[in-house]
Structures are given as structure tokens and as C-alpha cells.
Amino acid sequence: MQFPESWLREFCNPPLSTAELAETLTMAGLEVEALSPVAPPFSGVVVAQVLSIERHPNADRLNVCQVDVGTGSPLAIVCGAPNVRPGIKVPCALVGAALPPAKQGEPAFVIKLGQLRGVESQGMLCSARELKLSDAHGGLLELSGAAPIGVDLRAHLRLDDTIFTLKLTPNLAHCLSVHGVARELAALTGAELRAPSYPPVAVTHDTRLPVHVDAPDLCGRFSGRVVRGVNALAVTPQWMAERLARCGQRPVGPLVDISNYVMFESGQPSHIFDLDKIHGDLRVRWGRGGETISLLNGSTIEVDAGVGVIADDLQVESLAGIMGGEATSVGEGTRNVYVEAAFWWPQAVAGRSRRFNFTTDAGHRFERGVDAARTLDHVERITGLIIDICGGEAGPTYDRICAMPDRAPVTLRIERASRVIGMPVSQAECADVFNRLGLGFVEGDGTITITPPSWRFDLQTEEDLVEEVIRILGYSRLPDVPPLAAVTPRLPPAARQGLRRLRCLMVALDYQETVNFGFVEERWERELAGNADPIRLLNPIAAPLAVMRSSVLGSLLAVLKVNLARRAPRVRVFEIGRVFRRDSRVVDGERSVAGIDQPTRLGALAYGPADGLQWGAVERSVDFYDLKGDLEALLAPRIARFLPAEHPALHPGRSARIELDGRAIGWIGELHPRWRQGYELPQAPVMFEIDVESLSDRALPTHVPLAKQQTALRDVALIVDDAISHATLMKAIDTASSEGIVRSARLFDVYRPQRPTAELASGQRSLAVRLELRDDDATLTDERIDAAVKTLLDRLTADGVIVRLRG
């Protein structure tokens, strides 16, 4: 909200400078976001009147004007403005005047006595653009006929003024007017508050417009009256036009300007209908499906049962509390009007205009709360201004009260106020605050109970009253007391690692972190996550980004494509971020959505050469085992299992499910060929995605004494079917040697002949495994070693494994 300082001081004028006034408002919660002068500095410009004009003898587009500047003798001034003519009053910069520079930072433009095409010019007639008052450059700035000649222009137009721009929070609806801000200022400073007067207008005819309020939950009070015989071609007074312009409102016409002026003055939006365009009675109701209305902003919208309207017997004429319709708008031919001021319930207006992608000053106020007790006063105020400016005759007022807001009393405990504020406050101080704010109250034993007035929608709880007390007393009174609470450092357990450590580990593994949106393309979810029912956004920032991601793989692929578009040969990136899944469970045999699960995932992608370009190794592309090694380094010292499995985004023969401590934590593999082709990638990247929570706990290093006995190694070659995986074989070896001296087994060679042999049939392969044996209590002998190996192999043979060679 913005307004000129001079208007505010008409209601309340404390002995404070502009800066002090802004500081007072800001410290009371009415943040002054900006202070800007109405006009830039200039001097030597006065009100002048053009007496006569003659054609310039040496220029077709210039005129020689005789101008009265109040000095007794007219000045000859050369002017080329298209609207110059005898009798008009305009700004005149005298010789020596300093005008605003054309560009910021340049020196002021000084008017000198000079000649234009051989004719002496004793000054300069000015446009609004030359004075930096506006961007209008269609000609000279024309002043009112009542402007006194020779008076300094800054004094006449009150240009030594400052525009205040307030940044108000939603609970300060009572400050969305100049009078509302003045009321707060009077409470803060103790200065006198001059309230606007609403003298009743004489009723000269009995014309009425029937109004039916069918929806009390939409409209709590409706006031209005008919004014006949207005002159819509009247000119808005200069003082009103200036104030509207300084409030950021462009003057439109006298009737519209009057309505806007009263809204800025007192905070009550209103609407003026062209009475002759209304068909029958007015009816206040909720909209109906299929009804449309052409609004004053030029758009045509369709309403429904969730939008309040004012309608006549034929059509919808206005969106209740938001904007009027084009069909009954006032114009140059308007002769009779209907003035309306109503109280619309905030919950009935809130969010309605944003449904149609626009906002209005009226809707902004009504959805925060407008004083329901003053609607009739505002009708009187608007009527008086209409008659003063446009003429006309007023009819009797109509005032229908359906349901007024309930103002429940709120009690403040003085002791609690002192505890919350952090300094002692007395009951007398609290009572003085409420008295200055105009809040009616009743005192009790250590309590004050107030009944919120009609203009305060924000006073609902005890905390609201506590805020009012310290706001008016001043935050500067709060003592500078250091906190007394004991500070106990709480370090996280050493076995738990945070996200920062995970990021450092990934960076140490030669990956770069990326940060992406949580909302993605629906195609990614369907193709890469196999999610046919993603969580949809009600209001996406862009049409493609319409769903929430349930996997980070799509985001990493998007980063890869961006890098490839910039010709990056090698890409290694990771992301730690949340994914969003429906938290579904089965209830009575049916699936029901219980909420949204938001786990954190770590995803990584590697593409291109396994290492940077170098002379010591042959260049090769990164593969599954490179990424598997990085993941094992990340999980160390914990050991994960990689089990062949299929994932929608990954190659069916080059992907695995990752298990840790018997629990699945993620996936790893090469991108599916279908998606490599679909996303137009030169080669397939390798990716993994794991649950961050599973990485939070890690095993701490423990002391293990060095073995005092030597380790014995034995190699065995085993013939197994292709259907038996490495993981299955290792599990069988672990089971067979669980009670012996075999400490570990490691696969070091795989042999599969090109054609079947006597030893290896079709569908079989030979696996070479190295066994590590040790007894920590005694030195192993060949007999014990051979016996342990024989026992292990016998158990494997019983499971269908053929022993090819032992050594």
C-alpha cells in the first residue's frame, strides 16, 4: 500500500520528521518498505498563463508566446508544444531555473536567456515529462484555471511531499487505508486523530432499487442508494487526481475516481452501477454453473457455485467483493447511478480472484476483513462527493443487515503478558495501550478483557493482545538481557554420519553434486520409475513439470543431457534429494492413500571414459563394475550384496538390486537401451540410487589384533551350472565352512569353453576360487588343511557342485 505523507498528516500530524515517522511505523509492525519523493528536485518554475501566440517567423512548428508569470510584464517565450494556446495555465521555467537532468547522475539543466531561430526566448514552458512528474509527453502540463499566476509550482502542486510504501502483513487489514494508518500513528505518538466526517446528504427524491440478499454467508451487510442526474463528463478535481496518482491509482473518470478515493481514504471498497443498465432488481447470491460475466478488466469468465455475484433479472453484473461487470459500468453517457457499499465475508472472497488469474484492491481488502459497521457512512461519503463534483440528486439509503461478525471478548493476563514480552508491564500500562488503540475493555484482578471493535479482525487470542501491548509500548523498551538457559552441546553419535559426510565421500570419489527440482516431467516417472500414478501439482511452475518425482534418476539424466549439449566428454554427477511417493496401505482389502512419504535418496551417474585422458592406460568407457566399486567404497566397511534384478530404467541383463544387512536399499545398473535411444544418448550411462537412511549408520573401527599364525591358501576349481550365480556359490561356501578354519573365499577366474568338452557340458562353467585358512590358536598342518578343504568340497558336492581341480 502507498500514500502521500501529506494525506496522512491531514488525519494525524505528530511532531516528527519524515524519517522519524517512517521509523515509528516500521517499529510498530507497519513496515515502511520505501520512501520516495513525489517529484525530483527542481527550482525556478512558476505557474504562468499564456496570453497570446504568434507564428515563429523562421520556423513552421514553433510559436512565440506572450506569457504572464506574475512579474508585471509578460515574457516572450518560444514554444513548440502542440497544445499551447491562449488562456491556458502551464509551468514556466524562468531564466536561471534548474530542471531535472535528462539522465540520472548528470548535472541539473539550467535555463538561460537564448535565441531560437533568431527570436529571443526568456524562459521555457514545461511538460510533465520535462519536470519528471510523469512520462506524458503529448504537450505542456496544463494546470487548473484556479491556479494563481506567479506561485511556485512546487507549492501549488504540493510536490515537496513523500510517498510512503508500506509492506503490511495479512493481519493488518485495518491499516489498508490512510485513516487506518493515521489511527495507528495516533496511538503510537499520542497525537490528535482527526476522523473523516460523513455528513448525511439531503434526500430529494424517492427512487429506490430493490435488492435481495439471498446468501447471508456471502454478504453480511448491504448498503446503497440511487443518485439521479449526475454529470459523468465532469472533471475529477486536481487534488483528488493527485492523491489517487500518488496512491498508485490512475485517474479514470469522476465516478470511478470517487469510489477509489474513498477506498484509499477509509478502507471500504465500493461499486457504482449505471442504474439505467440494470434490468429489474439486484440479487446477491452465489453463482451458478454456466453463468458468465464480462469484467471491467476486459476478461470474460465463467462462475460457479463457489463464487459470489450480484445479478439482476437477466445476468450477472458483478463479482461480489472483487470487480464489477462491463454491462453496468459507468461511462460518459451515465445519468443515474446506484452506489453500493457492502460487507462481504472474508472467507467468501478469499482466493476467488486468483482462480481467474487476477487480483484487485477490493478483493485484497475484503479477504482480510473490512469494517462492517461503516458501510452506510461510506455510502453517504461517496454520495456527497458525487454531488459536489458531478451534481445530482440523492435518494433514500437502503441498508440490509443480515449477519454481522461476532466479536468474542479476549482476556489478557498481565502476568502472562510480562512473561511473554520478557519485561514487567503493569496493568495500567496495558489499559493505556488499549485506550489509545480505541479498544473497549473491562479490567479485572490482574486481567483486562477487551471486545474487538468492528475494524479489528486480527484480535482473536491472548497472544494478539500481548503483541498489541509491546507494539505500542515500543520494542526499544525491551531490555538487552543475555539468555540464561544452560547450553549443553549435543554431538551426534559417532556411528551416525550426516549428509555432509556423504557429500564429501562422493566428491572424493570424483563426482560433482547437482541440485534439481522435486517436480519433473510425467514421462520420467512413467518410463524411468514405472510410476503410473505420480503425485500431481495443482499449480505447476511450468506445464512439463507437473508431477513430483519418486526417483532421482530422471533428474540425473536431465543433467547429463545438459552437459552433453555443451560437449562434455565425461560426466560424473550425484544428487542427494527427496523423492515423493504415495504412502499407501491396504485397508479392508482395498488400497487407500494415507499420505505422502518423502524419503531422501542418493543417486549417482557416470558417463564417458572411466578415467581422464592419460598416457599410461588405454581409454575405456565406464561400466557397471566401475560404479559398483565406487558404491562399495561409499558403503565400506559394510559389505553389500548385488543380486540380479530388473528395474524399469535399467538394462535387464546389467542391473542389480542392492541389499545391505538383508534389506534392499537401492538399484544399480546401466540405462535401458530403450531409454538410451528414447533420450538420444550416444552411449548408455551407469547409475545407482540408494536410500540415504540406510547409509546413516556405519560401523565404527574396532581394534583387531594381528594374527599370530600364518595363513594358508588353497585354490579350487568348481564346475557349476550357468543358472547358479556367484552370490549363490559364495553363500554355499560360507555355509559349508561356518564351523571350520576357512576364513574367506574369493573368485579369481571364470572359464567357459567355446564348445562343450568332456569336463564341461553345455550350460556349465568353471569357477576358480581361492580359499584362505587360518587357526588363530595353533599352526596349521597340511593334514588339517587338507581335511578342512575336503570337508568343504564334500558339502559342495552334495549340493550338486562338481570339483574339477584342487590345489
Side-chain angles (χ1 to χ4, degrees):
M1 176 187 171
Q2 70 180 53
F3 55 86
E5 179 184 359
S6 58
W7 198 359
L8 176 64
R9 289 187 180 273
E10 283 191 6
F11 291 116
C12 183
N13 189 16
L16 301 175
S17 66
T18 300
E20 292 171 338
L21 187 62
E23 177 69 13
T24 299
L25 293 175
T26 298
M27 293 306 297
L30 284 70
E31 180 185 354
V32 178
E33 189 176 28
L35 292 174
S36 55
V38 169
F42 61 82
S43 61
V45 182
V46 299
V47 176
Q49 184 174 28
V50 178
L51 301 178
S52 63
I53 61 174
E54 295 179 358
R55 281 292 180 188
H56 192 291
N58 301 320
D60 294 337
R61 296 186 180 182
L62 296 180
N63 297 299
V64 180
C65 307
Q66 297 297 316
V67 181
D68 182 6
V69 295
T71 57
S73 58
L75 302 179
I77 298 177
V78 178
C79 177
N83 63 334
V84 63
R85 62 186 183 276
I88 65 169
K89 293 184 177 180
V90 294
C92 178
L94 304 177
V95 174
L99 301 186
K103 295 182 180 179
Q104 189 175 5
E106 295 181 354
F109 179 70
V110 179
I111 301 299
K112 300 178 180 178
L113 185 65
Q115 290 192 352
L116 291 176
R117 296 288 185 93
V119 177
E120 185 178 68
S121 182
Q122 299 172 317
M124 174 180 171
L125 302 184
C126 303
S127 66
R129 189 177 187 179
E130 290 164 338
L131 297 175
K132 295 294 187 288
L133 300 181
S134 74
D135 292 331
H137 57 281
L140 301 176
L141 173 61
E142 298 189 32
L143 306 175
S144 66
I149 298 174
V151 173
D152 187 89
L153 184 71
R154 300 191 70 90
H156 173 64
L157 297 181
R158 294 186 293 183
L159 299 180
D160 294 321
D161 201 353
T162 303
I163 295 177
F164 278 60
T165 302
L166 302 188
K167 186 179 181 181
L168 299 177
T169 52
N171 64 312
L172 295 176
H174 59 286
C175 295
L176 285 170
S177 66
V178 179
H179 178 255
V181 176
R183 184 166 48 207
E184 290 291 303
L185 187 59
L188 292 167
T189 63
E192 177 187 2
L193 175 65
R194 293 183 287 275
S197 59
Y198 304 104
V201 177
V203 176
T204 57
H205 64 85
D206 194 37
T207 304
R208 302 172 186 267
L209 175 64
V211 179
H212 310 277
V213 181
D214 297 338
D217 56 338
L218 168 64
C219 178
R221 184 176 185 179
F222 193 97
S223 305
R225 76 165 1 135
V226 172
V227 182
R228 298 189 317 194
V230 300
N231 177 18
L233 297 176
V235 178
T236 301
Q238 184 176 344
W239 58 269
M240 181 179 288
E242 287 176 355
R243 284 185 172 176
L244 288 174
R246 293 172 189 181
C247 289
Q249 181 68 49
R250 179 178 60 86
V252 177
L255 295 172
V256 177
D257 293 344
I258 289 170
S259 177
N260 289 332
Y261 180 84
V262 174
M263 179 182 68
F264 287 117
E265 178 185 60
S266 57
Q268 169 70 54
S270 59
H271 187 63
I272 300 178
F273 296 85
D274 188 324
L275 181 65
D276 299 327
K277 297 178 182 179
I278 298 176
H279 306 90
D281 301 350
L282 287 182
R283 193 169 295 276
V284 179
R285 58 174 174 80
W286 292 103
R288 298 165 185 163
E291 290 183 321
T292 61
I293 177 176
S294 297
L295 298 173
L296 291 173
N297 62 3
S299 63
T300 299
I301 63 170
E302 182 176 341
V303 302
D304 54 30
V307 179
V309 300
I310 302 176
D312 59 19
D313 293 345
L314 293 183
Q315 60 187 356
V316 175
E317 301 294 1
S318 175
L319 283 185
I322 299 175
M323 182 181 289
E326 184 66 32
T328 55
S329 62
V330 296
E332 294 181 354
T334 299
R335 295 293 298 162
N336 305 302
V337 298
Y338 184 77
V339 179
E340 166 262 312
F343 168 70
W344 307 99
W345 289 101
Q347 57 269 29
V349 178
R352 277 21 178 223
S353 61
R354 288 184 289 277
R355 288 178 52 185
F356 306 113
N357 297 321
F358 66 85
T359 58
T360 63
D361 288 333
H364 182 79
R365 286 163 171 78
F366 278 122
E367 66 184 8
R368 286 160 173 75
V370 169
D371 188 356
R374 307 299 297 274
T375 59
L376 198 57
D377 291 337
H378 290 98
V379 171
E380 294 285 2
R381 173 65 167 159
I382 293 172
T383 305
L385 290 173
I386 290 176
I387 293 176
D388 291 343
I389 298 172
C390 303
E393 300 174 338
T397 57
Y398 168 84
D399 188 27
R400 170 75 186 281
I401 299 177
C402 304
M404 298 291 278
D406 182 26
R407 292 290 186 254
V410 185
T411 299
L412 172 71
R413 294 167 289 175
I414 307 303
E415 181 183 358
R416 174 168 172 74
S418 300
R419 187 168 65 253
V420 173
I421 291 173
M423 72 176 188
V425 292
S426 65
Q427 185 162 335
E429 288 177 316
C430 295
D432 179 60
V433 167
F434 298 146
N435 187 53
R436 289 158 62 181
L437 287 171
L439 309 179
F441 60 88
V442 176
E443 295 191 55
D445 185 13
T447 63
I448 298 178
T449 301
I450 70 110
T451 300
S454 57
W455 65 84
R456 294 298 297 267
F457 281 74
D458 58 315
L459 301 181
Q460 300 177 4
T461 65
E462 185 177 18
E463 285 71 19
D464 296 329
L465 300 183
V466 174
E467 180 186 2
E468 294 300 298
V469 170
I470 186 56
R471 193 170 65 86
I472 301 302
L473 291 180
Y475 294 107
S476 59
R477 289 185 52 179
L478 291 173
D480 297 329
V481 179
L484 300 179
V487 179
T488 303
R490 296 184 178 180
L491 298 177
R496 189 168 183 84
Q497 58 184 354
L499 298 181
R500 176 175 174 79
R501 174 173 171 78
L502 288 179
R503 290 187 171 95
C504 292
L505 290 174
M506 291 299 296
V507 171
L509 291 170
D510 195 24
Y511 289 83
Q512 297 185 30
E513 184 177 14
T514 66
V515 179
N516 298 287
F517 286 129
F519 23 88
V520 297
E521 295 185 29
E522 185 174 357
R523 174 191 177 190
W524 299 358
E525 284 297 294
R526 187 174 61 254
E527 297 176 348
L528 301 177
N531 186 5
D533 185 24
I535 301 169
R536 299 185 180 278
L537 294 170
L538 295 178
N539 187 23
I541 62 172
L545 307 181
V547 301
M548 303 300 293
R549 67 182 182 184
S550 62
S551 169
V552 299
L553 297 182
S555 302
L556 294 175
L557 281 177
V559 173
L560 172 62
K561 287 186 65 76
V562 171
N563 280 270
L564 292 180
R566 288 157 178 77
R567 308 182 69 83
R570 183 172 182 267
V571 179
R572 295 171 67 88
V573 293
F574 77 95
E575 180 181 4
I576 299 178
R578 292 193 180 277
V579 298
F580 305 86
R581 307 179 306 185
R582 298 189 188 278
D583 184 11
S584 303
R585 29 188 171 179
V586 176
V587 179
D588 296 332
E590 295 184 358
R591 196 174 194 77
S592 64
V593 177
I596 305 297
D597 187 22
Q598 303 180 41
T600 303
R601 292 281 190 265
L602 165 60
L605 178 147
Y607 175 91
D611 296 305
L613 186 66
Q614 59 164 308
W615 63 270
V618 178
E619 182 177 303
R620 64 177 181 84
S621 298
V622 66
D623 59 20
F624 175 93
Y625 298 101
D626 292 314
L627 204 67
K628 177 175 175 287
D630 291 339
L631 184 55
E632 289 176 334
L634 181 67
L635 296 174
R638 304 166 75 184
I639 299 176
R641 298 179 63 202
F642 298 85
L643 306 179
E646 293 189 6
H647 185 278
L650 304 179
H651 193 297
R654 301 175 186 176
S655 62
R657 183 176 67 252
I658 307 167
E659 291 188 358
L660 188 65
D661 300 331
R663 184 170 66 91
I665 65 170
W667 298 85
I668 182 173
E670 184 180 296
L671 184 66
H672 198 291
R674 182 190 304 121
W675 309 136
R676 183 195 67 77
Q677 184 177 5
Y679 290 92
E680 300 178 350
L681 299 176
Q683 65 186 64
V686 189
M687 304 180 290
F688 73 73
E689 181 178 16
I690 55 177
D691 181 27
V692 167
E693 185 62 28
S694 63
L695 304 179
S696 300
D697 296 325
R698 56 175 178 154
L700 293 177
T702 57
H703 171 68
V704 178
L706 294 175
K708 296 181 180 180
Q709 307 298 331
Q710 289 187 344
T711 298
L713 302 177
R714 292 292 185 271
D715 295 339
V716 296
L718 307 174
I719 298 175
V720 299
D721 293 337
D722 288 342
I724 299 177
S725 66
H726 169 264
T728 303
L729 177 63
M730 291 297 105
K731 184 177 181 180
I733 293 175
D734 290 342
T735 303
S737 60
S738 59
E739 300 177 356
I741 57 177
V742 179
R743 295 306 178 99
S744 68
R746 183 180 296 273
L747 176 70
F748 67 89
D749 187 41
V750 178
Y751 171 68
R752 181 183 287 107
Q754 294 182 353
R755 60 180 62 88
T757 65
E759 281 189 297
L760 295 175
S762 177
Q764 291 183 330
R765 68 190 189 281
S766 174
L767 304 180
V769 179
R770 175 161 294 173
L771 302 177
E772 179 184 350
L773 304 93
R774 188 178 71 246
D775 186 350
D776 292 335
D777 297 326
T779 302
L780 293 178
T781 63
D782 289 340
E783 291 77 10
R784 290 189 65 191
I785 294 172
D786 292 341
V789 172
K790 182 178 183 304
T791 301
L792 170 63
L793 295 180
D794 289 344
R795 293 181 180 178
L796 292 177
T797 302
D799 292 336
V801 176
I802 301 174
V803 178
R804 181 186 179 204
L805 181 68
R806 67 182 68 185

